[in-house]
Amino acid sequence: MCQNCSKELAKTYDPKSIEDRLYKKWEDNGYFHAEVDRSKKPFTIVMPPPNITGQLHMGHALDNTMQDILTRYKRMQGYNALWQPGTDHASIATEVKVIENLKKQGIDKRDLGREGFLEKCWEWRDEYGSRIINQLKKMGSSADWERERFTMDKGCSEAVLEVFVKLYEKGLIYKGSRIVNWCPVCKTSISDAEVEHEEQDGFFWHINYPVVGEEGRFVEIATTRPETLFGDTAVAVNPDDDRYKDIVGKMLKLPMTDREIPVIADAYVDKEFGTGCVKITPAHDPNDFEVGKRHNLEEITVINDDATMNHYAGKYEGMDRYECRKALVEDLEKQGLLVKVEPHSHNVGTHDRCGTTVEPMVKQQWFVKMDELIKPAVEAVKNGDIQLLPKRMEKTYFNWTDNIRDWCISRQLWWGHRIPAYYCPDCGEMVVAKAAPEKCPKCGCDHMEQDPDTLDTWFSSALWPFSTLGWPDKTEDLDYFYPTDVLVTGYDIIFFWVIRMIFSGYEQMGKAPFHTVLFHGLVRDSQGRKMSKSLGNGIDPLEVIDKYGADALRLTLITGNAPGNDMRFYWERVEASRNFANKVWNASRFIMMNLEGSEIKEPSLGELKPADKWILSKVNTLAKDVTENMDKYEMGIAVQKVYDFIWDEFCDWYIEITKTRTYNKENDPASANAAFWTLKTVLTEALKLLHPFMPFITEEIFCTLHPEEDTIMLAKWPEYRADWNFPAEEEMLEHCKDLVKGVRNVRTEMDVLPSRKAKIFIVAEDAALRDSFELTKEAYANLAGASEVMVQQDKTGIGEDAVSVVIPGATLYLPLEDLVDFEKEKERLLKEQARLEKELARSKGMLSNEKFLSKAPEAKVQEEKDKLAGYEQMMEQVKERLAQMSK
């Protein structure tokens, strides 16, 4: 045990025995907590708030590992690091879960009424809200849990009311009839960002609309949704289309109804597409809605909220939209109005929550006017105030902002922030206010009713970077920690959340909410498939932690990870990460056992050996490189460099090189002290560089190695030091490594026992290189299994039978008799020759035996032939070796 150590490392690394204990220590000591401290520079990250319906999945694990790495890195660099955590009420997702849960108990949401249902939602939140937080703690997340927030807590709710009223008063929030995406299963409107478009095979139904007063004349239209025909209020043609100029203004008989509709001219119609005639259904298509507005057409809604047909559909009333489609097409065919049916692949919008095909419908909804609000968000990315990583994400970003539509923010749900609009039942007056008005300002009625709708869940999370810091109050926290520094998130919520936070930050705070957005990809299974419940290929991070430890999971997720790229999860990689943890543990334990009882003093520069300077120089460059990578958010590259240094340079080379010096501490105490000091110093630096990636194992080792220290979390991040730069020694040791590798390869090829030592001649013309080999003998002699080392300019005194190895700048010669015991080897080869002669005779005898060849199975005969070929090859090698030895 090293001097002053209070304990020693356990024999084997067992994550289960250390992780919970260390996490409790960190929390109890308040290491994650950040308070305003004007003497320090702040570094702030807001956690994308996971849903309270949530169970930790691999996406969360990756997202939070990346945030934790950055937070721990900045904390060690001396920043006042705040990682702001919290959870999201996730309106629609939670409501769906609670409804399902009640259904199992035979309870209907409507039976409970609004208040009763909301009580159930809050119960759900109390039960499941902290579940995912506890799982994030298992990962080692060093978020400031003392500041944990919830999107529907008092402060966040006040922020929502403030923003809604402010935007309404500025004319940026309005209520109006617009086409919205309607989910018939969830029975609510959803925003464009919640609609997933997928290619589906469908049909184009060509239908004839009779021209009124012109018997036998029709206008042919093509549609993918025949059932919306009942909502048609016109047929449009292009004003420049010569084919139809004469029918503009005429009336058409709408099939299966008693209505007549006009033919109108509108430039929206593409002459080349289909027949050039388009049915216009303003209540069920966003483009038709715009055409309808231009021509003052009626909006007729023909589909109910549950996707059944209403009274406008006549005899089809009550049918599901697809049943109606089938029956209607059959009837059109009977009446001779169906011209043809063509297969057609088209984009269909589905709700990302339940997979139902979305129905475009005209509804009275609340909207945020986006054309002005979006401008600073566009400008910020264009002028570099906000950097998107990787840069290619800008294309997706601008594609969305360039085609922005007003944001539909009302949802027909009960769980969420209720819209602060109040209506007078007597005179119809509407008031938007933070609190319910006592009476109607117009007629004095004293029982105004609140709008039943709630806000889109993203309305509150768009305010997350400042609402969590106390806004709308002007708090110290807000002044100090805002704007935040970097947002780490998946590329799949760029529209939902990222853009909305950006425009909200500019609108409410007058500045960007963060300067960098770091996008990560998806974690896929080993076959590259998205992890999903339907495929059953999801891997539970907690299962991985239970089996291999949190550090192994974190290292696996971050190794090879590049911004914006998807990654594949392999169990073999977790095993490799666990093996690396074991390597670090065992090497540290070995070093500490050797340090036991030794009082280590910092050596002078002259007392350091070339190998000591080499490893110091290496860890010094590593600190510079890793810092550069971390500052560029290249965490995958950074951790790979730390991994390679620890495994290869430190464990496989330096520790092995110093063994002879540490074992002979009585004979040369100064050299042993220099080795001990270097081992301890370099291990300490390497642990610090590894800490953000693997916090648990590094904490346990560091605090055992330095019992005077409380934690590695607050240790100073390694910085480049000019006095640890030793390029000459680095070059020397590279030559030593080349020599050792060369000699080891030869010994392996010749089956030389590790215990057998051999003389090594090093022949180099360059005098400086010869000096270098003389100076570093103790670094390589033992590793190369040398009995003696001779460094010379030419081949004088080297026997002809010596085995040669060429390395950069030099040639190595090893006398054959040193590698092989001639008499013993000859005896062994002669015995082998006699054995092979017997086997050859037996094999040849069998293969010349007609009886064996005719009766034995073909496979048995082939097996014997293969054996014979093998014996002949072995005999050739034995004879060659014997001939060599008799020279």
Side-chain angles (χ1 to χ4, degrees), residues 48 116 149 223 402 409 417 532 543 593 708 739 761 793 803 819 874 883:
R149 299 299 299 269
T223 179
D402 291 350
I409 52 170
H417 293 102
S532 70
E543 188 194 329
M593 283 164 69
E708 72 284 1
L739 183 151
F761 291 92
Q793 193 175 347
V803 178
L819 300 173
M874 286 157 77

Side-chain angles (χ1 to χ4, degrees), residues 321-344:
R321 54 186 164 170
Y322 299 125
E323 275 177 59
C324 167
R325 178 183 293 179
K326 196 176 166 200
L328 172 63
V329 168
E330 279 175 16
D331 289 346
L332 287 167
E333 194 169 15
K334 281 176 196 161
Q335 293 200 9
L337 294 175
L338 186 69
V339 182
K340 60 178 173 178
V341 183
E342 287 178 317
H344 172 65

